[in-house]
């Protein structure tokens, strides 16, 4: 795959906490109608009312593709015979297909707002909700021979992605604390971005706008605005492109930042912070919601992006399932409620094996409450 001119990178997905057991695997449970999802405790059980439409259809985020595979498996175990078909085509496509009533739920790496939210409400005949099931960091992932521990500041990352820094031996990179002893080559930085509309791109650009606002003037949005580098399709595409080019860098979900890719440490002012579950959890402690008190659980990440909390990894991405708060077809609503409930409980613990981290207990509680409220 062709690698581009200088550009930048990042990506990963994650979150943190306890996982509970969902019930309903007995075939008879598929026909029950009154089991509701109760707020989980460390040893609690979420009740699942199985049944409804099968297969459910979903489309969108490639960042959550591996996570959705786990959710589908756990859903099938708890609700025997129930299936989900999910197409990983990118967040932009997922939102469009959901709003066009072509799928039962959409997958997006950023919450729907503005015109997209208005279109979703028109499609649903009621408010559409953003339900977070995969939360975590985005990695600035690179491939540079001989350099296995690189630290970058938000300002340096922004300059790489808008073309202000073009070579790996640029003094600005060398000057970052922790890089003083590195042998950085006189080699062009090959920036790889997402070629299609992507929620990962949107989150990355929002982060740069908050953490490096004096440098990043390109704005946010699902389309990459940096003006440098070349694009590749999907998370697998950017990861493959960077692996193929010594000197390449990209933004990609943590589940993909391995096997030839190295996540950079991020120094927001308190020293370089490694991308791992514990450091992500420190950032999540400060998370707030755009609509407090609502079942629309879109997270307000701006405070995290601009934070300087010691030991906290600030570059986070939340993958949402976009659902109707009320469906015209009761069978779809029943299946969606069950799928979300299982995904938020049994579906979480196995995520760590794929490079993700389970959602925090407090967020799990809110997801189960929202799932129960879907009509």
């Amino acid at each position: 795959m062709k690698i581009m001119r200088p550009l930048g990178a990042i990506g990963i997905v994650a979150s943190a906490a306890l996982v509970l057991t969902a019930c309903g695997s007995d075939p008879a449970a598929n026909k029950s109608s009154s089991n509701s999802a109760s707020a989980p405790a460390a040893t609690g059980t979420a009740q699942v009312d199985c049944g409804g439409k099968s297969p459910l259809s979903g489309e969108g985020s490639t960042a959550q593709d591996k996570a959705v595979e786990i959710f589908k498996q756990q859903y099938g175990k708890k609700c025997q015979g129930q299936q989900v078909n999910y197409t990983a085509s990118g967040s932009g496509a997922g939102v469009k297909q959901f709003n066009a009533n072509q799928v039962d739920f959409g997958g997006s790496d950023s919450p729907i707002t503005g015109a997209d939210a208005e279109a979703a409400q028109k499609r649903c005949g009621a408010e559409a909700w953003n339900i977070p099931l995969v939360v975590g960091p985005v990695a600035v992932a690179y491939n540079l021979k001989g350099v296995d521990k690189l630290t970058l500041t938000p300002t340096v990352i922004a300059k790489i992605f808008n073309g202000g820094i073009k070579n790996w031996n640029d003094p600005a990179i060398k000057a970052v604390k922790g890089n003083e002893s590195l042998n950085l080559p006189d080699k062009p930085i090959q920036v790889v971005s997402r070629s299609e509309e992507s929620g990962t791109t949107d989150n990355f650009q929002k982060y740069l706008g908050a953490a490096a606002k004096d440098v990043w003037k390109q704005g946010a949005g699902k389309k990459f605005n940096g003006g440098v580098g070349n694009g590749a399709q999907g998370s697998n595409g950017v990861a493959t492109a960077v692996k193929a080019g010594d000197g390449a860098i990209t933004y990609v979900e943590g589940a993909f930042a391995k096997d030839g890719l190295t996540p950079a440490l991020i120094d927001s002012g308190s020293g370089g912070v490694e991308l791992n579950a514990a450091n992500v959890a420190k950032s999540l402690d400060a998370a707030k919601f755009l609509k407090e008190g609502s079942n629309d659980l879109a997270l307000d990440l701006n405070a995290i992006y601009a934070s300087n909390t010691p030991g906290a990894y600030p570059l986070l991405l939340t993958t949402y399932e976009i659902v109707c708060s009320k469906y015209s077809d009761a069978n779809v609503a029943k299946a969606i409620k069950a799928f979300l409930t299982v995904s938020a409980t049994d579906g979480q613990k196995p995520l760590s094996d794929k490079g993700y981290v389970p959602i925090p207990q407090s967020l799990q509680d809110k997801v189960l409450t929202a799932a129960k409220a879907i009509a």
Side-chain angles (χ1 to χ4, degrees), residues 167-185:
N167 270 47
W168 281 108
N169 66 344
D170 190 291
I173 299 178
K174 186 76 171 181
V176 176
K177 185 177 180 180
N179 295 344
E180 299 91 345
S181 63
L182 295 180
N183 183 20
L184 296 172

Side-chain angles (χ1 to χ4, degrees), residues 101-344:
N101 203 17
Q102 297 301 302
V103 293
D104 300 316
F105 68 93
S108 178
D109 302 337
S110 57
I112 56 169
T113 58
D116 283 337
E118 292 176 4
Q121 182 163 357
K122 182 177 180 180
R123 169 257 157 103
C124 295
E127 186 180 22
W129 290 342
N130 299 280
I131 307 296
L133 286 177
V134 185
V135 183
V138 171
V140 179
Y142 66 94
N143 173 12
L144 187 61
K145 186 177 180 180
V147 179
D148 59 5
K149 190 175 182 180
L150 179 72
T151 303
L152 300 175
T153 65
T155 296
V156 169
I157 295 171
K159 288 182 178 180
I160 288 174
F161 279 94
N162 67 15
I165 294 177
K166 296 178 168 55
N167 270 47
W168 281 108
N169 66 344
D170 190 291
I173 299 178
K174 186 76 171 181
V176 176
K177 185 177 180 180
N179 295 344
E180 299 91 345
S181 63
L182 295 180
N183 183 20
L184 296 172
D186 183 9
K187 182 187 292 291
I189 299 174
Q190 299 175 341
V191 177
V192 183
S193 65
R194 291 283 287 273
S195 59
E196 83 282 19
E197 288 191 352
S198 163
T200 308
T201 299
D202 188 26
N203 279 271
F204 179 50
Q205 295 186 134
K206 286 178 179 176
Y207 164 74
L208 294 178
K213 59 184 179 181
D214 292 337
V215 176
W216 186 261
K217 305 295 186 181
Q218 284 73 20
K222 291 184 173 67
K223 181 180 179 181
F224 180 71
N225 302 320
V228 294
N230 293 316
Q233 179 79 24
S235 304
N236 274 317
V238 295
T240 299
V242 173
K243 290 176 186 178
D246 182 23
I249 188 170
T250 189
Y251 52 92
V252 65
E253 298 74 23
F256 297 87
K258 57 184 180 179
D259 301 330
L261 298 185
T262 304
L265 282 68
I266 295 181
D267 185 349
S268 300
S270 298
V273 179
E274 184 180 351
L275 192 161
N276 61 39
N279 294 340
V280 172
K282 291 180 182 178
S283 287
L284 286 173
D285 287 341
K288 297 182 180 180
F289 297 92
L290 294 177
K291 298 180 180 179
E292 292 291 346
S294 169
N295 284 322
D296 184 349
L297 302 179
L299 289 164
D300 181 359
L301 297 177
N302 283 338
I304 292 177
Y305 290 157
S307 70
N308 183 21
T309 304
Y313 188 87
L315 184 48
L316 303 183
L317 175 151
T318 302
T319 296
Y320 299 91
E321 311 316 322
I322 311 301
V323 300
C324 294
S325 59
K326 183 176 182 179
Y327 284 87
S328 59
D329 186 337
N331 286 320
V332 175
K334 185 172 186 177
I336 286 286
K337 288 159 71 85
F339 177 64
L340 293 178
T341 299
V342 173
S343 299

Side-chain angles (χ1 to χ4, degrees), residues 12 20 137 270 284 293 351 371:
I12 180 168
L20 309 179
S270 298
L284 286 173
L351 292 182

Side-chain angles (χ1 to χ4, degrees), residues 8-174:
I10 171 174
I12 180 168
V13 191
S15 41
L18 300 167
V19 178
L20 309 179
T21 305
C23 64
S25 58
D26 188 319
N30 292 343
K31 297 180 180 180
S32 66
S33 59
S34 60
N35 290 335
S36 61
S38 58
T43 58
T45 298
Q47 301 296 318
V48 180
D49 181 12
C50 297
K53 180 183 177 182
S54 182
L56 281 173
S57 60
E59 181 170 346
S61 167
T62 63
Q64 70 167 7
D65 190 23
K66 295 178 182 179
V68 172
E69 285 300 314
I70 292 173
F71 297 159
K72 289 163 56 177
Q73 292 169 10
Q74 295 300 316
Y75 178 51
K77 288 179 181 179
K78 296 301 174 182
C79 296
Q80 292 183 5
Q82 295 295 102
Q83 299 179 346
V84 176
N85 293 332
Y86 182 76
T87 301
S89 57
S91 298
V95 171
K96 289 177 182 178
Q97 290 294 87
F98 176 78
N99 286 347
N101 203 17
Q102 297 301 302
V103 293
D104 300 316
F105 68 93
S108 178
D109 302 337
S110 57
I112 56 169
T113 58
D116 283 337
E118 292 176 4
Q121 182 163 357
K122 182 177 180 180
R123 169 257 157 103
C124 295
E127 186 180 22
W129 290 342
N130 299 280
I131 307 296
L133 286 177
V134 185
V135 183
V138 171
V140 179
Y142 66 94
N143 173 12
L144 187 61
K145 186 177 180 180
V147 179
D148 59 5
K149 190 175 182 180
L150 179 72
T151 303
L152 300 175
T153 65
T155 296
V156 169
I157 295 171
K159 288 182 178 180
I160 288 174
F161 279 94
N162 67 15
I165 294 177
K166 296 178 168 55
N167 270 47
W168 281 108
N169 66 344
D170 190 291
I173 299 178
K174 186 76 171 181

